[in-house]
Amino acid sequence: MRSFLTENPPRTFKPRTPSYERDFEEQVLRVINQIMPNYKAAAWKPIIRDWHGHGAKPDITIVSNDLDDWYVVEVELASHSVSGHIAPQLETLRNGIYDRSLVPSLQKAFPGVGVETLTRLTNRDPGLLCVVDQYTEPISRTCRSSGFDLAVLEPYYGDIGGWAVLVERLPSELSRLTAPTTYVLRRGDPLGNSVVMELPRSFPASLYKVRLPAVSGDQDEKFVHVQHFDRGPGLVLSLTIVPEHASATVRVIDPARNLAELVIDQ
């Protein structure tokens, strides 16, 4: 991390890691609505238990302004042990049970949102987001393997006081003001001659099938159904469609018709 300057008024900001994780959490809460304009955020720390009875507390939850999707947010300092602290926390939250039992704690976090709306929200699996103060490859790898999106918000402190945040990394679907029209797929586990291509947990449930790219000489449209795995929604695709070197996205064509298509970038 490097220092940066502002011209008007002239000020110097230098990187400063908060002494405690809770200080970083508070900073994230102060800026998250500006960074993610389509979402509202609140501190949220219920005990989330998985099917084995293991428990972990998230730090924040964010809910879209249209109350259609939500994320469980874990805030971490990069100085924490990945294997001893971050990975176990993310694994428990990934395998957590998210149901209507969480409605009372969500209502405390968002008192202006009705119980019926929050109940409907908990019927959808939340997205998973990890926010850290500094990028490291081990954290990135752990997030990827745990099904968490990664945001990197680097904290800075001014020469005459005051904090600033450098948005080093942020999932594009969270930074947009409107709902995204393109979703990036992440390569998951192989299945013989196929591979699971994972969609973000925020992928609209209404888009239950995706049109495949046209093949030369084939007159009929072909679709693949969205499946739901432990780590969220995904597509099982042949390696002939997405070879190892290829990346893929799902593009929404017509939301009114629940129509989306697979786009391959080779």
Side-chain angles (χ1 to χ4, degrees):
M1 295 190 291
R2 300 178 180 179
S3 301
F4 67 86
L5 309 176
T6 61
E7 293 187 28
N8 188 19
R11 295 186 61 184
T12 301
F13 286 83
K14 295 182 179 181
R16 179 182 292 186
T17 300
S19 301
Y20 301 99
E21 185 179 294
R22 67 172 178 270
D23 295 332
F24 185 43
E25 289 176 23
E26 292 173 358
Q27 185 178 27
V28 171
L29 279 170
R30 290 196 301 268
V31 303
I32 200 168
N33 292 112
Q34 287 74 41
I35 294 172
M36 306 175 189
N38 202 39
Y39 288 81
K40 58 189 74 176
W44 189 60
K45 297 179 181 291
I47 297 177
I48 303 297
R49 298 198 180 276
D50 62 18
W51 294 105
H52 302 289
H54 301 142
K57 288 185 178 182
D59 298 306
I60 295 170
T61 183
I62 58 174
V63 176
S64 62
N65 292 335
D66 61 8
L67 302 175
D68 197 43
D69 67 275
W70 64 304
Y71 279 76
V72 173
V73 183
E74 177 67 12
V75 178
E76 293 285 353
L77 296 178
S79 57
H80 287 168
S81 167
V82 175
S83 60
H85 175 72
I86 297 177
Q89 186 84 350
L90 298 189
E91 182 179 1
T92 300
L93 292 175
R94 177 194 67 187
N95 296 322
I97 300 171
Y98 299 96
D99 57 20
R100 63 184 59 193
S101 67
L102 298 172
V103 169
S105 63
L106 285 170
Q107 192 171 34
K108 288 182 180 179
F110 301 104
V113 181
V115 172
E116 183 177 337
T117 299
L118 293 173
T119 301
R120 176 178 56 80
L121 197 64
T122 58
N123 289 332
R124 297 193 60 179
D125 287 336
L128 301 173
L129 178 68
C130 182
V131 180
V132 295
D133 64 312
Q134 188 176 355
Y135 177 89
T136 71
E137 185 55 36
I139 289 177
S140 177
R141 188 166 54 247
T142 298
C143 286
R144 189 164 56 246
S145 64
S146 300
F148 272 73
D149 288 316
L150 176 63
V152 181
L153 307 182
E154 295 183 353
Y156 283 74
Y157 197 72
D159 53 356
I160 58 173
W163 287 92
V165 170
L166 175 64
V167 182
E168 180 66 25
R169 176 169 175 160
L170 186 67
S172 60
E173 58 264 28
L174 293 177
S175 62
R176 294 171 181 165
L177 182 59
T178 57
T181 58
T182 301
Y183 296 83
V184 177
L185 286 93
R186 181 169 43 210
R187 189 174 292 268
D189 298 328
L191 291 174
N193 294 324
S194 299
V195 62
V196 176
M197 298 295 291
E198 299 169 357
L199 286 157
R201 284 178 178 256
S202 60
F203 186 73
S206 59
L207 299 174
Y208 61 92
K209 65 179 182 178
V210 176
R211 186 171 66 192
L212 295 176
V215 177
S216 178
D218 195 342
Q219 301 299 318
D220 297 326
E221 291 185 337
K222 294 185 177 180
F223 293 84
V224 60
H225 280 79
V226 176
Q227 300 186 43
H228 291 271
F229 304 91
D230 290 341
R231 286 165 54 170
L235 305 174
V236 178
L237 299 172
S238 167
L239 290 174
T240 59
I241 296 176
V242 279
E244 291 187 4
H245 63 275
S247 59
T249 56
V250 168
R251 183 169 67 90
V252 180
I253 302 172
D254 187 347
R257 296 169 54 207
N258 298 329
L259 185 59
E261 68 176 357
L262 180 69
V263 179
I264 305 297
D265 184 7
Q266 304 197 43

